[in-house]
Amino acid sequence: MSSPLDNLPDLSPLGGHWTTTTGHHIDFGHIVTMGRAEIPGITWPYEPEDCPITTNTWYLDDTLLLCDGCGTDGT
Ligand SMILES: [Zn+2]
């Protein structure tokens, strides 16, 4: 799942910010609007609509879960 867009955690400790993207993600299986993290030093290898990655990594002291492929919020 993913956090509500108005309840995404603050990315400023990472120097980043959120963008929103609407599309299909394999994790969700239908069209959704998701938060996508933009973090300096990290380039996501895929766009959310064609992301085949189903693994995630925790950030912000294990309070934020981001897709390893496209950086969308999986918390
Ligand atoms: Zn992804």
Side-chain angles (χ1 to χ4, degrees):
M1 263 325 285
S2 126
S3 297
L5 291 180
D6 60 0
N7 194 33
L8 291 167
D10 183 11
L11 288 180
S12 59
L14 298 173
H17 64 274
W18 290 101
T19 59
T20 58
T21 182
T22 301
H24 177 276
H25 191 284
I26 192 169
D27 277 359
F28 301 109
H30 55 89
I31 302 296
V32 292
T33 300
M34 302 172 281
R36 187 184 197 198
E38 301 285 345
I39 300 173
I42 300 179
T43 301
W44 308 115
Y46 296 99
E47 293 302 310
E49 58 265 31
D50 51 32
C51 176
I53 306 298
T54 57
T55 57
N56 302 281
T57 297
W58 289 102
Y59 295 85
L60 297 174
D61 294 327
D62 294 350
T63 59
L64 172 65
L65 192 64
L66 295 178
C67 175
D68 290 335
C70 63
T72 52
D73 170 44
T75 312

Coordinates of all heavy atoms in Angstrom, one line a residue:
M1 N 0.9 -1.2 0.0 CA 0.0 0.0 0.0 C 0.9 1.2 0.0 O 2.1 1.2 -0.1 CB -0.9 0.0 1.2 CG -2.3 -0.5 1.0 SD -3.0 -0.2 -0.6 CE -3.4 1.6 -0.4
S2 N 0.3 2.4 0.1 CA 1.0 3.6 0.1 C 0.3 4.6 1.0 O -0.9 4.5 1.2 CB 1.1 4.0 -1.4 OG 0.6 5.3 -1.6
S3 N 1.1 5.5 1.5 CA 0.5 6.5 2.4 C -0.4 7.5 1.6 O -0.2 7.7 0.5 CB 1.6 7.3 3.1 OG 2.4 6.5 3.9
P4 N -1.5 8.0 2.3 CA -2.2 9.1 1.6 C -1.3 10.2 1.2 O -0.4 10.5 1.9 CB -3.2 9.5 2.7 CG -3.3 8.4 3.7 CD -1.9 7.7 3.6
L5 N -1.7 10.8 0.0 CA -0.8 11.9 -0.5 C -0.6 13.0 0.4 O 0.4 13.7 0.4 CB -1.3 12.3 -1.9 CG -1.2 11.3 -3.0 CD1 -1.8 11.9 -4.3 CD2 0.2 10.8 -3.2
D6 N -1.6 13.3 1.2 CA -1.5 14.4 2.2 C -0.8 14.0 3.5 O -0.8 14.8 4.4 CB -2.9 15.0 2.4 CG -3.9 14.1 3.0 OD1 -3.5 12.9 3.3 OD2 -5.0 14.5 3.3
N7 N -0.4 12.8 3.5 CA 0.2 12.3 4.8 C 1.6 11.6 4.5 O 2.0 10.8 5.2 CB -0.7 11.3 5.4 CG -0.3 11.0 6.9 OD1 0.2 11.8 7.6 ND2 -0.5 9.7 7.3
L8 N 2.3 12.1 3.4 CA 3.6 11.6 3.1 C 4.6 12.1 4.1 O 4.5 13.3 4.5 CB 4.0 11.9 1.7 CG 3.2 11.2 0.6 CD1 3.4 11.9 -0.7 CD2 3.5 9.7 0.5
P9 N 5.6 11.3 4.5 CA 6.6 11.8 5.5 C 7.5 12.9 4.8 O 7.6 13.0 3.6 CB 7.4 10.6 5.8 CG 7.2 9.7 4.7 CD 5.8 9.9 4.1
D10 N 8.0 13.7 5.7 CA 8.9 14.8 5.3 C 10.2 14.2 4.8 O 10.9 13.5 5.5 CB 9.2 15.7 6.5 CG 10.0 16.9 6.2 OD1 10.2 17.2 5.0 OD2 10.5 17.5 7.2
L11 N 10.6 14.6 3.5 CA 11.8 14.1 3.0 C 13.0 15.0 3.2 O 14.1 14.7 2.7 CB 11.7 13.9 1.4 CG 10.8 12.7 1.0 CD1 10.7 12.7 -0.5 CD2 11.3 11.4 1.5
S12 N 12.8 16.1 3.9 CA 13.9 17.1 4.0 C 15.1 16.5 4.7 O 16.2 17.0 4.4 CB 13.4 18.4 4.7 OG 12.8 18.1 6.0
P13 N 15.0 15.5 5.7 CA 16.2 14.9 6.2 C 17.1 14.3 5.1 O 18.3 14.2 5.3 CB 15.7 13.9 7.2 CG 14.4 14.4 7.6 CD 13.8 15.0 6.4
L14 N 16.5 13.9 4.0 CA 17.3 13.3 2.9 C 17.6 14.4 1.9 O 18.2 14.1 0.8 CB 16.5 12.2 2.3 CG 16.2 11.0 3.2 CD1 15.3 10.0 2.5 CD2 17.5 10.3 3.6
G15 N 17.1 15.6 2.1 CA 17.3 16.6 1.1 C 16.4 16.5 -0.1 O 16.6 17.1 -1.2
G16 N 15.3 15.7 0.0 CA 14.5 15.4 -1.1 C 13.1 16.0 -1.0 O 12.8 16.8 -0.1
H17 N 12.3 15.7 -2.0 CA 10.9 16.2 -2.0 C 10.0 15.2 -2.7 O 10.5 14.3 -3.4 CB 10.8 17.6 -2.6 CG 11.2 17.6 -4.1 ND1 12.5 17.7 -4.5 CD2 10.4 17.4 -5.2 CE1 12.5 17.7 -5.8 NE2 11.3 17.5 -6.3
W18 N 8.7 15.4 -2.6 CA 7.8 14.5 -3.3 C 7.3 15.0 -4.6 O 7.0 16.2 -4.7 CB 6.6 14.2 -2.4 CG 6.9 13.4 -1.2 CD1 7.1 13.8 0.1 CD2 7.1 12.0 -1.1 NE1 7.4 12.8 0.9 CE2 7.4 11.6 0.2 CE3 7.0 10.9 -2.1 CZ2 7.6 10.3 0.6 CZ3 7.2 9.6 -1.7 CH2 7.5 9.3 -0.4
T19 N 7.1 14.2 -5.5 CA 6.3 14.5 -6.7 C 5.1 13.5 -6.7 O 5.2 12.5 -6.0 CB 7.1 14.4 -8.0 OG1 7.5 13.1 -8.2 CG2 8.2 15.3 -8.0
T20 N 4.1 13.8 -7.4 CA 3.0 12.8 -7.5 C 3.0 12.3 -8.9 O 3.3 13.0 -9.9 CB 1.7 13.3 -7.1 OG1 1.4 14.4 -7.9 CG2 1.7 13.8 -5.6
T21 N 2.6 11.0 -9.1 CA 2.5 10.4 -10.4 C 1.3 9.5 -10.4 O 0.9 8.9 -9.4 CB 3.8 9.6 -10.7 OG1 3.7 9.0 -12.0 CG2 4.0 8.5 -9.6
T22 N 0.6 9.5 -11.5 CA -0.5 8.7 -11.7 C -0.2 7.6 -12.7 O 0.2 7.9 -13.8 CB -1.8 9.5 -12.2 OG1 -2.0 10.6 -11.2 CG2 -3.0 8.7 -12.3
G23 N -0.4 6.4 -12.3 CA -0.1 5.4 -13.3 C -0.3 4.0 -12.7 O -0.8 3.9 -11.5
H24 N 0.0 3.0 -13.4 CA -0.1 1.6 -13.1 C 1.2 1.2 -12.4 O 2.2 1.4 -13.0 CB -0.5 0.8 -14.3 CG -0.6 -0.7 -14.0 ND1 0.5 -1.5 -14.0 CD2 -1.6 -1.4 -13.8 CE1 0.1 -2.7 -13.7 NE2 -1.2 -2.7 -13.6
H25 N 1.1 0.5 -11.3 CA 2.3 -0.1 -10.7 C 2.0 -1.5 -10.4 O 0.9 -1.8 -9.9 CB 2.7 0.7 -9.5 CG 4.1 0.3 -9.0 ND1 4.3 -0.9 -8.3 CD2 5.3 0.9 -9.2 CE1 5.6 -1.0 -8.1 NE2 6.2 0.1 -8.5
I26 N 2.9 -2.4 -10.6 CA 2.7 -3.8 -10.4 C 2.3 -4.1 -9.0 O 1.6 -5.0 -8.7 CB 4.0 -4.6 -10.8 CG1 3.7 -6.1 -10.9 CG2 5.2 -4.3 -9.9 CD1 4.8 -6.9 -11.6
D27 N 2.8 -3.3 -8.1 CA 2.5 -3.5 -6.7 C 1.0 -3.2 -6.4 O 0.5 -3.8 -5.4 CB 3.3 -2.5 -5.8 CG 4.7 -3.1 -5.4 OD1 5.0 -4.2 -5.9 OD2 5.4 -2.4 -4.7
F28 N 0.4 -2.4 -7.2 CA -1.0 -2.0 -6.9 C -2.0 -2.7 -7.8 O -3.1 -3.0 -7.4 CB -1.2 -0.5 -7.0 CG -0.3 0.2 -6.0 CD1 0.8 0.9 -6.5 CD2 -0.5 0.2 -4.7 CE1 1.7 1.6 -5.7 CE2 0.4 0.8 -3.8 CZ 1.5 1.5 -4.3
G29 N -1.6 -2.9 -9.1 CA -2.5 -3.6 -10.0 C -3.6 -2.8 -10.7 O -4.4 -3.3 -11.4
H30 N -3.6 -1.5 -10.3 CA -4.6 -0.6 -11.0 C -4.1 0.8 -11.0 O -3.0 1.1 -10.4 CB -6.0 -0.7 -10.2 CG -5.8 -0.4 -8.7 ND1 -5.9 0.8 -8.2 CD2 -5.6 -1.2 -7.7 CE1 -5.8 0.8 -6.9 NE2 -5.5 -0.5 -6.6
I31 N -4.8 1.7 -11.6 CA -4.3 3.0 -11.8 C -4.5 3.8 -10.4 O -5.6 3.8 -9.9 CB -5.1 3.8 -12.9 CG1 -4.9 3.1 -14.2 CG2 -4.6 5.2 -13.0 CD1 -3.5 3.0 -14.7
V32 N -3.4 4.3 -9.9 CA -3.5 5.1 -8.7 C -2.6 6.3 -8.8 O -1.7 6.4 -9.6 CB -3.0 4.2 -7.5 CG1 -3.9 3.0 -7.2 CG2 -1.5 3.7 -7.7
T33 N -2.9 7.2 -7.9 CA -2.0 8.4 -7.8 C -1.1 8.1 -6.6 O -1.5 7.8 -5.5 CB -2.8 9.7 -7.6 OG1 -3.6 9.9 -8.7 CG2 -1.8 10.9 -7.4
M34 N 0.2 8.2 -6.8 CA 1.2 7.8 -5.8 C 2.2 9.0 -5.6 O 2.4 9.8 -6.5 CB 2.0 6.6 -6.3 CG 1.2 5.4 -6.7 SD 2.3 4.2 -7.5 CE 2.3 4.8 -9.2
G35 N 2.7 9.0 -4.4 CA 3.9 9.8 -4.1 C 5.1 9.2 -4.6 O 5.3 8.0 -4.5
R36 N 6.0 10.0 -5.3 CA 7.3 9.5 -5.8 C 8.4 10.4 -5.2 O 8.3 11.6 -5.3 CB 7.3 9.6 -7.3 CG 8.5 8.9 -7.8 CD 8.6 9.0 -9.3 NE 9.6 8.1 -9.9 CZ 10.1 8.2 -11.1 NH1 9.8 9.2 -11.9 NH2 11.0 7.3 -11.5
A37 N 9.3 9.8 -4.5 CA 10.4 10.5 -3.8 C 11.4 10.9 -4.9 O 11.9 10.1 -5.7 CB 11.0 9.7 -2.8
E38 N 11.8 12.2 -4.8 CA 13.0 12.7 -5.5 C 14.0 13.0 -4.5 O 13.9 13.9 -3.7 CB 12.6 14.0 -6.3 CG 11.5 13.8 -7.3 CD 11.9 13.1 -8.5 OE1 13.1 13.0 -8.7 OE2 11.0 12.7 -9.3
I39 N 15.1 12.2 -4.5 CA 16.1 12.3 -3.5 C 17.5 12.5 -4.2 O 17.8 11.7 -5.1 CB 16.2 11.0 -2.6 CG1 14.9 10.8 -1.9 CG2 17.4 11.1 -1.6 CD1 14.8 9.5 -1.1
P40 N 18.2 13.6 -3.8 CA 19.5 13.8 -4.4 C 20.4 12.6 -4.3 O 20.5 12.0 -3.2 CB 20.1 15.0 -3.6 CG 18.9 15.7 -3.1 CD 17.9 14.6 -2.8
G41 N 21.1 12.2 -5.4 CA 22.0 11.1 -5.3 C 21.4 9.8 -5.7 O 22.1 8.8 -5.9
I42 N 20.0 9.8 -5.8 CA 19.4 8.5 -6.2 C 18.6 8.7 -7.5 O 17.9 9.7 -7.6 CB 18.3 8.1 -5.1 CG1 19.0 7.8 -3.8 CG2 17.6 6.8 -5.6 CD1 18.1 7.4 -2.7
T43 N 19.0 7.9 -8.5 CA 18.3 7.9 -9.7 C 17.5 6.6 -9.9 O 18.1 5.5 -9.9 CB 19.2 8.0 -10.9 OG1 20.0 9.2 -10.8 CG2 18.5 8.1 -12.3
W44 N 16.2 6.7 -9.9 CA 15.3 5.5 -10.0 C 15.5 4.9 -11.5 O 15.3 5.7 -12.4 CB 13.9 5.8 -9.7 CG 13.7 6.5 -8.4 CD1 13.3 7.8 -8.2 CD2 14.1 6.0 -7.1 NE1 13.3 8.1 -6.8 CE2 13.8 7.0 -6.1 CE3 14.5 4.8 -6.6 CZ2 14.0 6.8 -4.8 CZ3 14.7 4.6 -5.3 CH2 14.5 5.6 -4.3
P45 N 15.7 3.7 -11.6 CA 15.9 3.1 -12.9 C 14.7 2.9 -13.8 O 14.8 2.8 -15.0 CB 16.6 1.7 -12.7 CG 16.1 1.4 -11.3 CD 16.0 2.7 -10.5
Y46 N 13.5 3.0 -13.2 CA 12.2 2.8 -13.9 C 11.3 3.9 -13.6 O 11.3 4.6 -12.6 CB 11.6 1.5 -13.5 CG 12.4 0.3 -13.9 CD1 13.2 -0.3 -12.9 CD2 12.4 -0.2 -15.2 CE1 14.0 -1.4 -13.3 CE2 13.2 -1.3 -15.5 CZ 14.0 -1.9 -14.6 OH 14.7 -3.0 -14.9
E47 N 10.4 4.1 -14.6 CA 9.2 5.0 -14.3 C 8.1 4.1 -13.7 O 8.1 2.9 -13.9 CB 8.7 5.5 -15.7 CG 9.6 6.5 -16.3 CD 9.9 7.7 -15.4 OE1 9.0 8.3 -14.9 OE2 11.1 8.0 -15.2
P48 N 7.3 4.7 -12.8 CA 6.3 3.9 -12.1 C 5.4 3.0 -13.1 O 5.1 1.9 -12.7 CB 5.5 4.9 -11.4 CG 6.4 6.0 -11.1 CD 7.3 6.1 -12.4
E49 N 5.1 3.6 -14.2 CA 4.1 2.8 -15.1 C 4.7 1.6 -15.7 O 4.0 0.7 -16.1 CB 3.5 3.8 -16.1 CG 4.5 4.4 -17.1 CD 4.9 5.8 -16.6 OE1 4.9 6.1 -15.3 OE2 5.2 6.7 -17.4
D50 N 6.1 1.5 -15.8 CA 6.6 0.3 -16.3 C 7.7 -0.3 -15.4 O 8.6 -0.9 -15.8 CB 7.2 0.5 -17.7 CG 8.1 1.7 -17.9 OD1 8.8 1.9 -16.9 OD2 8.1 2.3 -18.9
C51 N 7.5 -0.1 -14.1 CA 8.4 -0.6 -13.1 C 8.1 -2.1 -12.8 O 7.0 -2.4 -12.4 CB 8.2 0.2 -11.8 SG 9.3 -0.4 -10.5
P52 N 9.1 -3.0 -13.0 CA 8.9 -4.4 -12.8 C 9.4 -4.8 -11.4 O 9.4 -6.0 -11.1 CB 9.8 -5.0 -13.9 CG 10.9 -4.1 -14.0 CD 10.4 -2.7 -13.7
I53 N 9.8 -3.8 -10.6 CA 10.5 -4.1 -9.4 C 9.5 -4.3 -8.2 O 8.6 -3.4 -8.1 CB 11.5 -3.0 -9.0 CG1 12.5 -2.8 -10.2 CG2 12.3 -3.4 -7.7 CD1 13.3 -4.0 -10.5
T54 N 9.6 -5.3 -7.4 CA 8.7 -5.5 -6.3 C 9.4 -5.5 -5.0 O 8.8 -5.8 -3.9 CB 7.9 -6.8 -6.4 OG1 8.9 -7.9 -6.5 CG2 7.1 -6.8 -7.7
T55 N 10.7 -5.1 -5.0 CA 11.4 -5.0 -3.7 C 11.5 -3.5 -3.3 O 11.4 -2.6 -4.1 CB 12.9 -5.5 -3.8 OG1 13.5 -4.8 -4.9 CG2 12.9 -7.0 -4.1
N56 N 11.6 -3.3 -2.0 CA 11.5 -1.9 -1.4 C 12.6 -1.8 -0.4 O 13.2 -2.8 0.1 CB 10.2 -1.7 -0.7 CG 9.0 -1.9 -1.7 OD1 8.7 -1.1 -2.4 ND2 8.4 -3.1 -1.6
T57 N 13.0 -0.5 -0.2 CA 14.0 -0.2 0.8 C 13.5 0.8 1.8 O 12.8 1.7 1.4 CB 15.3 0.3 0.1 OG1 15.8 -0.7 -0.7 CG2 16.3 0.7 1.2
W58 N 13.8 0.6 3.1 CA 13.4 1.5 4.1 C 14.3 2.7 4.2 O 15.5 2.6 4.1 CB 13.4 0.8 5.5 CG 12.3 -0.1 5.7 CD1 12.4 -1.5 5.6 CD2 10.9 0.2 6.0 NE1 11.1 -2.1 5.8 CE2 10.2 -1.1 6.1 CE3 10.2 1.4 6.2 CZ2 8.8 -1.1 6.3 CZ3 8.8 1.3 6.4 CH2 8.2 0.1 6.5
Y59 N 13.7 3.9 4.4 CA 14.5 5.1 4.6 C 14.0 5.8 5.9 O 12.9 5.4 6.4 CB 14.3 6.0 3.4 CG 14.8 5.5 2.1 CD1 14.1 4.6 1.3 CD2 16.1 5.8 1.7 CE1 14.6 4.1 0.1 CE2 16.6 5.3 0.5 CZ 15.9 4.4 -0.3 OH 16.4 3.9 -1.4
L60 N 14.6 6.9 6.2 CA 14.2 7.7 7.4 C 14.0 6.9 8.6 O 12.9 6.9 9.2 CB 12.9 8.5 7.0 CG 13.0 9.5 5.9 CD1 11.6 10.1 5.5 CD2 13.9 10.6 6.2
D61 N 15.0 6.2 9.0 CA 14.9 5.3 10.2 C 13.8 4.4 10.2 O 13.0 4.2 11.1 CB 14.8 6.2 11.5 CG 16.1 7.0 11.7 OD1 17.2 6.6 11.4 OD2 15.9 8.2 12.2
D62 N 13.6 3.7 9.0 CA 12.6 2.7 8.8 C 11.2 3.2 9.0 O 10.3 2.4 9.5 CB 12.9 1.5 9.8 CG 14.2 0.8 9.5 OD1 14.8 1.0 8.5 OD2 14.6 -0.1 10.3
T63 N 10.9 4.4 8.6 CA 9.6 4.9 8.6 C 9.0 5.1 7.2 O 7.8 5.4 7.1 CB 9.5 6.2 9.4 OG1 10.3 7.2 8.8 CG2 9.9 6.1 10.8
L64 N 9.9 5.0 6.2 CA 9.5 5.3 4.9 C 10.0 4.1 4.0 O 11.1 3.8 4.0 CB 10.0 6.6 4.4 CG 9.8 6.9 2.9 CD1 8.4 7.1 2.6 CD2 10.7 8.1 2.5
L65 N 9.0 3.5 3.2 CA 9.4 2.4 2.4 C 9.2 2.8 0.9 O 8.1 3.3 0.5 CB 8.5 1.2 2.7 CG 8.8 -0.1 2.1 CD1 10.1 -0.6 2.6 CD2 7.7 -1.1 2.3
L66 N 10.3 2.8 0.2 CA 10.3 3.2 -1.2 C 10.6 2.0 -2.1 O 11.5 1.2 -1.9 CB 11.3 4.3 -1.5 CG 11.0 5.6 -0.8 CD1 12.2 6.6 -1.1 CD2 9.7 6.2 -1.2
C67 N 9.9 2.0 -3.3 CA 10.2 1.0 -4.3 C 11.6 1.1 -4.8 O 12.0 2.2 -5.2 CB 9.2 1.1 -5.4 SG 9.5 0.0 -6.8
D68 N 12.4 0.0 -4.9 CA 13.7 0.1 -5.4 C 13.8 0.5 -6.9 O 14.8 0.9 -7.4 CB 14.4 -1.3 -5.2 CG 14.7 -1.6 -3.8 OD1 14.8 -0.6 -3.0 OD2 14.8 -2.8 -3.4
G69 N 12.7 0.3 -7.6 CA 12.7 0.5 -9.0 C 12.4 1.9 -9.4 O 12.9 2.5 -10.4
C70 N 11.4 2.5 -8.7 CA 10.9 3.8 -9.2 C 10.7 4.8 -8.1 O 10.3 6.0 -8.4 CB 9.6 3.6 -10.0 SG 8.3 2.9 -9.0
G71 N 11.0 4.5 -6.9 CA 10.9 5.5 -5.8 C 9.5 5.9 -5.3 O 9.4 6.8 -4.6
T72 N 8.5 5.1 -5.7 CA 7.2 5.4 -5.2 C 7.1 4.9 -3.8 O 7.7 4.0 -3.4 CB 6.1 4.8 -6.1 OG1 6.3 3.4 -6.3 CG2 6.0 5.5 -7.4
D73 N 6.2 5.6 -3.1 CA 5.9 5.3 -1.7 C 5.2 3.9 -1.5 O 4.2 3.7 -2.1 CB 5.1 6.4 -1.1 CG 4.6 6.0 0.3 OD1 5.4 5.5 1.1 OD2 3.4 6.3 0.6
G74 N 5.9 3.1 -0.8 CA 5.2 1.8 -0.5 C 4.9 1.6 1.0 O 4.7 0.4 1.4
T75 N 5.0 2.6 1.7 CA 4.8 2.5 3.1 C 3.4 2.1 3.4 O 3.1 1.4 4.3 CB 5.1 3.9 3.8 OG1 6.3 4.3 3.4 CG2 5.1 3.7 5.3
Ligands
ZN1 ZN 8.3 0.6 -8.6

